Amino acid sequence: MTARPAAVTVISWVQIVFAALGVFGMVITFLLINNPMMRDALARNHAPVPVQLAMSVASLAINLSCAIGFLNRQNWARFVFVGWSVLAIIYTLVVVALSAWILVPGLVLPVITAVIVFLPDANRYFSGKDDATRTSAETG
């Protein structure tokens, strides 16, 4: 069976660490939800506060699930990750009251992740095929 590429392992753990940091951020948000500065920051966006919080929780859950799926050779995780990333970017552009240029740093990790999980080595890993089943054209 094809071994997990190191890049898939690294990007999976990076996603898990960022999800953990996101959980910490969500806890702080919920603890400070009645703080006037937090209320003002949340009110600047074009979506109701419950929708904003639900999207944040959903994003954390989906990204964490996909990262664990990457580690466990779950092909669906690649497609869910890319699909959710596209939806999250659209949501951010439409709802979040920021300049589109502010979004650029937030695109770096999803783009790098998407590229890594669709590289040829990752494709072989996620397909679950044995190295012995590859044709000579693929190996040489």
Side-chain angles (χ1 to χ4, degrees):
M1 190 144 333
T2 304
R4 182 186 322 123
V8 171
T9 302
V10 169
I11 205 66
S12 298
W13 282 103
V14 168
Q15 287 288 344
I16 290 168
V17 167
F18 274 89
L21 292 172
V23 168
F24 177 73
M26 286 302 301
V27 168
I28 298 299
T29 300
F30 282 115
L31 290 174
L32 297 176
I33 198 74
N34 292 320
N35 180 296
M37 287 176 54
M38 179 65 76
R39 285 274 180 203
D40 183 51
L42 292 170
R44 278 187 242 137
N45 293 325
H46 304 296
V49 171
V51 171
Q52 293 177 54
L53 298 176
M55 284 296 291
S56 295
V57 170
S59 189
L60 290 171
I62 291 170
N63 285 341
L64 182 60
S65 297
C66 289
I68 293 168
F70 297 159
L71 292 172
N72 290 306
R73 188 181 269 170
Q74 300 298 312
N75 195 40
W76 60 263
R78 303 189 300 166
F79 298 99
V80 169
F81 181 85
V82 170
W84 180 257
S85 295
V86 169
L87 288 174
I89 291 164
I90 292 168
Y91 171 83
T92 302
L93 286 171
V94 171
V95 173
V96 179
L98 296 172
S99 164
W101 289 106
I102 299 294
L103 182 62
V104 172
L107 290 172
V108 173
L109 185 59
V111 168
I112 289 172
T113 300
V115 167
I116 287 173
V117 299
F118 283 98
L119 288 172
D121 285 345
N123 287 336
R124 282 190 292 278
Y125 165 70
F126 285 108
S127 75
K129 295 179 183 170
D130 290 339
D131 288 333
T133 63
R134 291 181 7 204
T135 64
S136 60
E138 290 176 317
T139 59

